[in-house]
Amino acid sequence: MLSNISSAWPELIQALLETLYMLVLTIPIAVAIGTPLGTVLFLTRPNSFLKWPRFYVILNGFVNLIRSFPFLILMIAIIPFTRMVVGTALGTTAATVPMIINAVPYFARFIEQILLDVNRGVVEAAESMGANKFQIVWKVLYTEARSGIANAITIVTVSFLSYSTVAGLVGGGGIGDFAIRYGYYRYQTDVMFVTIVIMVLFVQAFQFAGNYVVRKLDKRL
Amino acid sequence: MITLHNISKTFATAEGPLHAVSSASLEVEQGDIYGLIGFSGAGKSTLLRTINLLERPDEGSVIVDGEEFTGLPLRELRKRRLSIGMIFQHFNLLNNRNVYDNVSFPLEIAKVPKAQRRQRIESCLEMVGLSDKAKAFPAKLSGGQKQRVAIARALAGNPKILLCDEPTSSVDPQTTGSILAALQEINRNLGITIVIVTHEMNVVKAICNKVAVMEQGKIVEKFDLREKNIAPQSPIAKYLFKNEITLVREMEASYA
């Protein structure tokens, strides 16, 4: 039993690194694009700061459109686009393209929701001091929402650890690919078991780190 | 200092239009502590909020320091707002900023260079007696302390006017005293004109020199409290001046 694991070990490490690579590429880009996108969604909502109702309808519909694709189908459907961007539809880098496309609107929805939870009274106080919209977003909304944003990043990271394994199904590499090859095709239940334990530890570590950061950022209580 | 002329404001609600304020006029002079009193829904907060145009009136004019506000472009209006401080019932402090940084906030909005902020922040905190709490976060403060931070924040921009929207309505009577004392001191020492919205006649009696009584969006009566004999005519003013809690068992309250 141990021989199975030890012979698969180098590949397991390789697969883990691939998965981390996918996350390291996906999450920061999702945050970088999803944050402004979610902010614009929040600002253009009915009864919010910017009166751009048509723009909101279009943007909102577009975000819903992308969010309605099941991840596996999105991955396959955009293969031509992925080829155009990275030159191939195979491999870890190629797998991050659908991951990013899925993660951006997902994260944007989180941001929209978090900003909705910011106390309107504080925004009003800032307005009474002559703050403009940019100052309100930057100095009020993001400051008050920062722990919520950190929490959202944690949730999205854990979700996409899971999505990255779907990418493995269609030649994306990573821990999902590894688990299928060893655990499923070769019936090496022991290797599958070890893989699952490692994944559980990863998620626990992400969540622990995320919670720690949230606690540090949140001064509301 | 502040002239509100024939202000009207109507809100669209699910139950139809709500006339929050109807043709209300008010004259606040330099150095006044002007009270606006009435029950919930009388329109007093809405009227107060038209002074810095947080609420834009449908009709009427707002003249502050000789300048008509309603016609100003938003960019100009924001500059004027810097010289009008405002405090709120629920304090509205930034919870993720400490006391010092909360007071710093309006200075950052006004783009005051960092080097000049420090002294201003420290003197504002000193004025409200909270110098020792500079590093504390709002969650660790009592209601009275939070409101004093809000006052310090409102003073940071060197305002000529301070608008107070129910500043003592969510604190206990003792704390009310300390907040009102701080407001009176500001008025006396800095000459800041104060407009204060409240539903408590005790607040008015404690610090105001003038008061307007509001009911259903209208200003019913105005009084100069420095006069010897104040004889309220309207039922609501009589009720408020009598200032007793009466147990009302009917469905509809009466002032009799």
Side-chain angles (χ1 to χ4, degrees):
Chain A
M1 176 191 155
L2 273 175
S3 67
N4 270 349
I5 294 167
S6 64
S7 68
W9 190 255
E11 248 189 284
L12 175 63
I13 299 296
Q14 171 70 22
L16 277 173
L17 288 176
E18 283 170 1
T19 295
L20 284 181
Y21 170 77
M22 287 190 252
L23 289 178
V24 165
L25 220 53
T26 303
I27 304 303
I29 295 177
V31 172
I33 304 175
T35 305
L37 182 62
T39 308
V40 171
L41 278 171
F42 168 79
L43 291 174
T44 57
R45 281 172 72 93
N47 299 320
S48 189
F49 295 84
L50 299 173
K51 304 286 174 246
W52 299 350
R54 252 171 287 176
F55 180 84
Y56 178 76
V57 168
I58 293 167
L59 196 63
N60 190 47
F62 184 70
V63 165
N64 284 345
L65 177 77
I66 297 181
R67 300 256 302 121
S68 42
F69 277 85
F71 183 59
L72 183 60
I73 294 171
L74 177 80
M75 251 180 90
I76 295 163
I78 65 156
I79 282 176
F81 176 75
T82 307
R83 271 211 193 96
M84 210 174 73
V85 177
V86 290
T88 170
L90 291 173
T92 12
T93 309
T96 57
V97 174
M99 280 172 74
I100 290 166
I101 290 177
N102 196 278
V104 166
Y106 185 35
F107 194 72
R109 279 284 181 237
F110 265 116
I111 293 291
E112 184 187 14
Q113 189 54 49
I114 292 162
L115 296 183
L116 274 173
D117 286 340
V118 173
N119 178 1
R120 288 305 291 261
V122 185
V123 173
E124 189 165 76
E127 280 183 316
S128 82
M129 292 175 228
N132 60 34
K133 291 186 180 80
F134 180 80
Q135 288 168 322
I136 287 174
V137 168
W138 199 252
K139 287 180 178 287
V140 180
L141 294 176
Y142 287 169
T143 306
E144 292 298 275
R146 64 189 189 189
S147 57
I149 294 172
N151 202 22
I153 294 173
T154 312
I155 295 172
V156 171
T157 306
V158 169
S159 292
F160 276 80
L161 182 62
S162 168
Y163 282 178
S164 79
T165 63
V166 180
L169 262 182
V170 287
I175 196 74
D177 176 48
F178 175 85
I180 289 164
R181 281 188 289 121
Y182 282 84
Y184 186 59
Y185 293 145
R186 298 192 196 168
Y187 303 107
Q188 291 181 358
T189 316
D190 46 358
V191 177
M192 185 68 125
F193 180 75
V194 170
T195 311
I196 293 169
V197 169
I198 290 172
M199 297 308 283
V200 169
L201 291 176
F202 258 64
V203 171
Q204 298 288 355
F206 282 153
Q207 196 62 51
F208 182 81
N211 288 352
Y212 178 79
V213 173
V214 169
R215 258 201 320 279
K216 281 284 161 202
L217 290 178
D218 193 357
K219 305 292 182 187
R220 287 174 299 177
L221 288 172
Chain B
M1 193 69 184
I2 306 170
T3 306
L4 299 177
H5 187 68
N6 270 331
I7 300 288
S8 293
K9 177 76 187 180
T10 305
F11 294 109
T13 66
E15 293 88 47
L18 173 77
H19 301 289
V21 177
S22 3
S23 32
S25 297
L26 203 65
E27 184 75 42
V28 182
E29 282 166 59
Q30 162 78 42
D32 274 348
I33 301 186
Y34 207 118
L36 282 175
I37 193 168
F39 297 129
S40 331
K44 50 198 192 308
S45 283
T46 308
L47 187 61
L48 181 84
R49 291 153 51 88
T50 62
I51 296 174
N52 59 3
L53 292 194
L54 275 185
E55 214 69 80
R56 198 168 272 278
D58 302 327
E59 279 167 50
S61 63
V62 178
I63 299 161
V64 178
D65 219 2
E67 189 174 31
E68 168 63 72
F69 267 17
T70 50
L72 285 177
L74 197 54
R75 189 182 293 268
E76 288 303 308
L77 177 65
R78 287 195 188 115
K79 284 187 197 155
R80 304 302 181 280
R81 280 178 178 166
L82 290 169
S83 61
I84 305 177
M86 189 165 189
I87 61 171
F88 304 85
Q89 178 176 0
H90 298 294
F91 325 122
N92 295 351
L93 298 173
L94 284 143
N95 288 313
N96 281 336
R97 279 183 174 222
N98 64 22
V99 166
Y100 183 94
D101 290 333
N102 261 288
V103 180
S104 169
F105 185 80
L107 299 172
E108 292 167 32
I109 297 295
K111 301 208 166 64
V112 176
K114 198 170 185 180
Q116 291 165 36
R117 279 184 230 152
R118 177 171 208 92
Q119 203 193 353
R120 183 77 202 136
I121 296 165
E122 280 167 1
S123 74
C124 286
L125 284 176
E126 204 171 311
M127 265 186 269
V128 295
L130 284 174
S131 301
D132 56 327
K133 297 282 183 197
K135 293 272 175 278
F137 282 89
K140 304 286 178 220
L141 302 178
S142 70
Q145 287 171 330
K146 282 183 202 169
Q147 195 60 289
R148 271 147 62 207
V149 175
I151 292 171
R153 180 175 71 172
L155 293 179
N158 257 324
K160 294 179 201 147
I161 297 168
L162 180 62
L163 307 177
C164 311
D165 193 356
E166 304 258 7
T168 59
S169 297
S170 50
V171 297
D172 61 53
Q174 201 178 1
T175 311
T176 295
S178 82
I179 292 170
L180 294 181
L183 291 177
Q184 191 170 55
E185 212 175 287
I186 287 160
N187 172 259
R188 282 188 185 154
N189 299 345
L190 307 175
I192 295 175
T193 307
I194 295 178
V195 184
I196 181 166
V197 161
T198 181
H199 59 259
E200 299 163 284
M201 193 46 106
N202 282 329
V203 169
V204 171
K205 284 178 178 163
I207 62 166
C208 294
N209 61 347
K210 292 174 191 162
V211 64
V213 179
M214 286 191 77
E215 189 179 32
Q216 292 177 353
K218 296 193 176 68
I219 293 180
V220 191
E221 256 184 294
K222 295 174 196 167
F223 303 96
D224 190 325
L225 296 165
R226 290 163 300 191
E227 281 171 14
K228 278 260 159 52
N229 297 312
I230 295 169
Q233 301 299 312
S234 60
I236 175 158
K238 281 182 185 163
Y239 177 84
L240 286 166
F241 273 94
K242 198 171 72 178
N243 194 39
E244 282 164 4
I245 293 174
T246 1
L247 300 179
V248 181
R249 297 192 197 279
E250 304 95 90
M251 287 307 286
E252 290 204 7
S254 64
Y255 313 122

